[in-house]
Amino acid sequence: MNRAINFADPQDQEVYALWDQLADFSVGEGDAALTHLLSALCTMLSARNSLWGVLVRLPSPKRADPLLGWRPRLVRVLDPIPVVAASVQKQYDTLWSNNVDLSQILSMSGDEPFRVRLLFEALPQEWFEGEHYRRHYLDAGFADSISVRIALNADVRIRLFVFRDGQSPRFTPQDAQRLGFAMRALRWFHRQQLLSHGLLIANAPLTPAERRVLLALLDGHTEKHIAQKLDQSPNTTHFHVKAIYAKFGVRNRSALSALWLRKLR
């Protein structure tokens, strides 16, 4: 979405401050940085909750796949209360079935590198009278959303949602513009998030234990300190370090850190 930039506008200043805050997180603090982003967007837009996800395009989708091969690989919810977590899991499971909702089909369509959509502009009125809206919005405490889709390359997309409840007014086109403005400059941030999980850069996704070691490596800790910090034996830590290097196709820490300065492959 195009918009005029006003450097004296307090709302724009809030976005600039968010960008600076995210840049101040170390690469080893990716989880905290993502939480900060989602929380800040909720505050900025008077939203109740937010969701961030990574979509990957499967190399061999089934014939006539309504989602064109796109499936979620990683999802994070700011406030994963049980009813919201159950809704997210149910939607994830449905994506692998033949019962795909219109909202999911529309969200995967198109090849725009960057797209912002208001829920009530994207879907027909009858959709809001159906089961999907009731189950995954109303029953979860939501009534409206804005979605942002960012293409990192031809096979990887970021999806972000902010939600409001029924007691709040609907999101406006101005809200959508503001969210789009905040997100448009953050491709670097999403790339770092992918790297920290080993998605599409590593030869295989990282295990939870490997990811904890990776984040400590990126923050400059020695193997000895990492072992102490994670309550592991030095041999276990060294095993994880070697596995991380192998998955990323590098031989040492400096080569691993250099990946954070390169373009996403």
Side-chain angles (χ1 to χ4, degrees):
M1 285 189 175
N2 296 323
R3 67 189 295 281
I5 298 177
N6 183 351
F7 292 98
D9 188 326
Q11 290 191 344
D12 285 359
Q13 290 291 336
E14 191 176 13
V15 173
Y16 305 146
L18 172 60
W19 292 344
D20 289 342
Q21 291 159 10
L22 293 176
D24 284 340
F25 283 92
S26 73
V27 293
E29 296 174 321
D31 291 341
L34 180 57
T35 298
H36 183 80
L37 170 64
L38 297 180
S39 178
L41 293 177
C42 283
T43 299
M44 190 182 299
L45 294 162
S46 301
R48 178 169 176 176
N49 210 337
S50 53
L51 178 150
W52 179 92
V54 180
L55 298 173
V56 299
R57 179 149 45 190
L58 302 181
S60 300
K62 66 182 181 181
R63 183 174 298 181
D65 179 10
L67 300 179
L68 307 175
W70 291 101
R71 294 296 187 280
R73 180 64 183 84
L74 181 68
V75 177
R76 292 289 181 268
V77 180
L78 176 62
D79 185 11
I81 60 177
V83 65
V84 172
S87 171
V88 171
Q89 185 61 53
K90 178 66 176 178
Q91 291 184 73
Y92 179 90
D93 294 341
T94 301
L95 294 179
W96 298 91
S97 72
N98 293 321
N99 184 28
V100 180
D101 186 73
L102 174 62
S103 62
Q104 301 288 2
I105 295 173
L106 291 179
S107 72
M108 305 300 179
S109 65
D111 293 321
E112 306 96 322
F114 186 86
R115 187 173 76 189
V116 183
R117 278 186 169 179
L118 291 164
L119 182 68
F120 280 86
E121 288 186 356
L123 290 155
Q125 182 57 43
E126 56 267 25
W127 182 85
F128 295 91
E129 301 168 3
E131 179 184 2
H132 189 94
Y133 182 63
R134 177 187 59 77
R135 174 177 292 185
H136 300 297
Y137 275 79
L138 300 181
D139 289 355
F142 305 138
D144 194 12
S145 69
I146 310 175
S147 64
V148 181
R149 191 177 81 187
I150 305 169
L152 295 186
N153 63 30
D155 299 306
V156 186
R157 291 172 174 174
I158 299 297
R159 289 289 306 282
L160 181 135
F161 290 83
V162 292
F163 301 95
R164 279 182 179 171
D165 58 30
Q167 285 69 53
S168 302
R170 286 185 187 175
F171 287 114
T172 65
Q174 290 72 31
D175 292 324
Q177 284 190 341
R178 192 176 184 202
L179 179 59
F181 176 50
M183 295 293 290
R184 195 67 177 86
L186 293 179
R187 289 184 78 252
W188 67 269
F189 174 83
H190 303 303
R191 176 180 174 273
Q192 286 196 352
Q193 289 291 323
L194 288 183
L195 282 167
S196 74
H197 287 275
L199 292 178
L200 300 183
I201 294 294
N203 296 325
L206 301 179
T207 67
E210 289 169 350
R211 186 165 185 264
R212 288 191 291 271
V213 172
L214 168 67
L215 296 180
L217 283 172
L218 293 172
D219 265 348
H221 297 299
T222 64
E223 287 192 25
K224 180 179 179 180
H225 186 203
I226 294 171
Q228 294 172 345
K229 179 180 179 181
L230 300 181
D231 194 23
Q232 299 174 344
S233 72
N235 286 339
T236 297
T237 299
H238 187 67
F239 175 82
H240 288 319
V241 170
K242 291 298 183 183
I244 290 166
Y245 289 166
K247 286 185 176 182
F248 279 93
V250 299
R251 295 184 177 181
N252 51 49
R253 186 194 301 243
S254 61
L256 179 71
S257 298
L259 289 175
W260 266 252
L261 303 177
R262 292 165 52 189
K263 290 183 178 180
L264 188 66
R265 298 205 289 259

